[in-house]
Amino acid sequence: MANKVVVMKFGGTSVATPEARMTSAMRVISAKEKGLQPVVVVSAIGRKGMPYATDTFINLLKEIDPNVEPDARELDLLIACGEILSSVIFAHTLKTLGHSAQAFRGGQAGIRTDGVYGNARIVSINPTALFRCLEKGAIPVVCGFQGTYSEDRSLPGGELTTLGRGGSDTTASAVGAAMQADAVEIFTDVDGVKTADPDAVKEAPTLRQVTYDEVAEIAHLGAKVVHPRAAEIAMNYDIPLWVKNTFSDDIGTEIVSRDKFPGRRVTGVTHTGKLVFLQFDLSGADQAHRAKLESSIYGTMERYGVQLFMLNVSPESTGFAVPRAQYPIVQDVLDGLVIPVGDGNDRLVYVFQLGSPTPEVETQVELLKSLGEVRRVGAVLTEGCTMVSVVGHEYMQQPGVFLRALEALESGQISVLQTSDSDFSLSVLVPESEAMRTVKLLHGCFGLAEVV
Amino acid sequence: MNQQSVSTSSFSQSQISETAFEKRRGISHVELRTGLTQVHVLNLAEPLAKKRLEALKAVANAGISLDFLKLTPTGVSFLIPADKTELISTTLKQADITNQLDTGRSIVLIYAVNIRDEEGMIAGILQRVINAGISIDHASDMHDRILIVAEASQAERFKNLIEEDIRG
């Protein structure tokens, strides 16, 4: 007997309402009626702000005292409830439609992880329970985003862990790999991987095949349709991975391995959210002190887990963009940061200053003067900007490609604040108000409306 | 549960075997790309955006591919293959564009899977480079790597340092 297992993962919007769950459940039933053996993976019900969404659970703790950080272990136990609720409700929905179904927590589904709470990696999966469920003719409904960690595998139970970003997609791919599934299908609320955000380019086509590298780079640069972790597992185990729309009959996008690259030059245009760009001027610092100053900047950013975009590093200055949501942290820890160097008569004190000086920084500078010479390391702030990127393959290295992009933006009178590029992409930093127009112009410039 | 005791009436034993999945966290390996020249186009007149485009057009017309393009206060800077150094020098001279060429540059590629998912990792790697005393000409990032441009011998030294880190 051929066991055509298909793993069907439903994201937040596909399980958010009774109507959405019914549509998703009908897709599962339709697969079963076609002779496939569906294994369902679900995310938590709904997105930010909804009653059972992850952030809503976290707020339950913050409401007690926002100044006390929850323990990572306890937090995992709490946020995993979203998927548990979702799996039970989805399984029950299937039952009401006449199909036997069984909900599984990650651990019950045999998913074992390392012991990193909040960002665990899957170590192994024993899918025995899932196969048994299928053999009984029932549909397994697995909680995405979670697993179990046990230092001593001989002990019963184990610690519940969550998988971090892209957790439910990762669960789906890993379960698919462990069960040697015929396919893994990630259901979401868009038709697949598009060449651009449809809010910016209404006519942006859906790509029919995308390589793992393309998906990973697109995600890195701001547009996450399927998480690269999931794509990587599917690629390594040679499991076909699809992104499909729960609410349409579009065939979706297949994620393929590098050797099946369709050969196009440019894949798409992405844009990040709101950014603040900081450029630190190190020219006033003694050559011997620059490394210490830069090290302080990056060490602080690492310590506070700040995401950096658009790196702009040179011997004279250093700069990067940070998400606007993280800027208050950056301002808190860097503005007024004091770096003393030397001793005795050679004592010198550097003070970081982000943008215009605040009264606090001015007071600090005055007080520090008694310790020795005080020099400011100023950072020019550019608020209200965003990064727009063109993703491609080797074509990005062809002569004139960057020129073509910059000419298109110049003709559209878009002010480019900075540029950045890598082997697979080129990025421009533009005013946030111009984000959509920039995407549209670059989409047109590289003929992406015709890409398939 | 002992795997052997599981009923496998319709599934093969290989289908229920345990599997290893995700790649290790953090830096996995390091690579060096040598033979590059850093080009600094300087002192362009106003309007700067137009003059930058003119300079880049001259470079493109000469058939020179460039990487790591960066806008600088008075021009642009970028990286080209070392074998195009003479050509770029002639091209920019003919276009009457002030420039400075730093030959003997390399790129260190530091690989770390899904780098943006590990909070602060990009900053951490840059700090490691700086603490190693490397003067960075430029830096960039991709989903699985950070690219650092530096003078060739410094780049080589840093590559060796990272390899030592990986070996533990």
Side-chain angles (χ1 to χ4, degrees), chain A residues 3 114 119 121-122 124 128 178 217 220 227 229 237 295 307-308 312-313 397 407 418-419 421 423, chain B residues 6 10 15 19-20 22 25 33 57 65 68-71 116-118 131 137 140-143:
Chain A
N3 302 299
D114 61 20
N119 194 13
R121 301 264 162 139
I122 295 176
S124 67
T128 306
E217 196 60 18
H220 181 70
H227 199 281
R229 281 171 77 182
Y237 285 84
S295 178
Q307 295 275 27
L308 306 185
N312 186 29
V313 187
Q397 258 107 69
E407 278 181 334
Q418 191 47 267
T419 61
D421 57 307
D423 292 354
Chain B
V6 173
S10 51
Q15 277 183 303
T19 48
E22 301 190 68
R25 290 161 200 276
R33 240 179 245 169
K57 198 174 275 179
S65 65
F68 291 90
L69 180 73
K70 182 168 60 175
L71 308 185
R116 206 174 293 292
D117 283 353
E118 305 296 329
N131 288 348
D137 281 350
S140 180
D141 59 280
M142 286 175 65
H143 65 275

Side-chain angles (χ1 to χ4, degrees), chain B residues 35-39 58-59 62 64 78 80-95 99 101-104:
Chain B
L36 299 156
T37 294
Q38 178 89 28
V39 181
V59 177
I64 302 169
F78 51 86
I80 57 161
D83 62 3
K84 301 284 183 192
T85 307
E86 219 173 293
L87 180 59
I88 196 104
S89 175
T90 315
T91 303
L92 294 177
K93 196 173 175 187
Q94 280 170 354
N99 65 86
L101 305 179
D102 294 336
T103 55

Side-chain angles (χ1 to χ4, degrees), chain A residues 274-304:
Chain A
K274 298 156 182 176
L275 300 174
V276 176
F277 190 76
L278 300 96
Q279 189 71 41
F280 295 84
D281 182 3
L282 302 172
S283 60
D286 288 355
Q287 189 68 37
H289 303 151
R290 283 184 191 176
K292 187 167 184 178
L293 296 172
E294 282 186 285
S295 178
S296 303
I297 295 169
Y298 289 107
T300 309
M301 296 299 94
E302 181 192 21
R303 206 159 43 250
Y304 287 88

